[in-house]
Amino acid sequence: MYDETKKVSEEELVDSYQKHFDKSAAYKLLKKLRKATRDKHDLIAAPVGVIVNSLGSLLSALDNPATPLHFKALIIGAIGYIIFPMDLVPDMTPVIGYADDVASVAGVVIAVAAYSNFSLADLDAQIDAEA
């Protein structure tokens, strides 16, 4: 029988997920990938750009207070999958290592697109300001 007293709110659930989630690692990966490829040939920059846009959109939606809590839980899981180096295709494998990550989180990226204001221009400005 289900115990109603042990019911956890969405907010408590998201808070518990965030305790085990390092957003700064995701931002570091985002900036590292962008810096490494923004001046490269499209053959390299385009596939990595998909990863950068996906991760940037997820992070932007996560930071948006208007994003519903159930989406935030999905976003945390999706970002975790992207930044965890050991998955179906290890992320150390050039380009295709992140391809499975993007394919796996594509639905979440699409679902939260309305809550994201990610911009490559803004990311580039942040990167340049740190240099």
Side-chain angles (χ1 to χ4, degrees), residues 27-108:
Y27 276 108
K28 285 178 189 173
L29 176 62
L30 176 67
K31 290 176 182 179
K32 178 182 175 183
L33 290 172
R34 181 63 178 159
K35 278 172 45 173
T37 60
R38 68 179 172 175
D39 297 326
K40 302 288 186 212
H41 189 277
D42 280 350
L43 191 62
I44 294 171
V48 176
V50 173
I51 299 157
V52 168
N53 278 309
S54 296
L55 184 55
S57 294
L58 291 170
L59 287 164
S60 174
L62 183 62
D63 287 341
N64 184 345
T67 302
L69 288 173
H70 63 279
F71 279 158
K72 288 189 178 198
L74 290 172
I75 291 167
I76 290 168
I79 292 172
Y81 190 79
I82 290 172
I83 64 175
F84 186 67
M86 302 307 294
D87 49 44
L88 186 60
V89 180
D91 294 342
M92 284 75 78
T93 308
V95 182
I96 63 167
Y98 287 106
D100 71 310
D101 296 358
V102 171
S104 298
V105 302
V108 178

Side-chain angles (χ1 to χ4, degrees), residues 21-29:
F21 174 73
D22 183 4
K23 191 169 27 173
S24 67
Y27 276 108
K28 285 178 189 173
L29 176 62

Side-chain angles (χ1 to χ4, degrees), residues 6-17:
K6 294 191 178 192
K7 188 175 180 181
V8 178
S9 73
E10 281 185 343
E11 189 170 336
E12 291 170 324
L13 187 60
V14 170
D15 286 344
S16 72
Y17 287 164

Side-chain angles (χ1 to χ4, degrees), residues 5 67 118:
T5 61
T67 302
F118 175 71

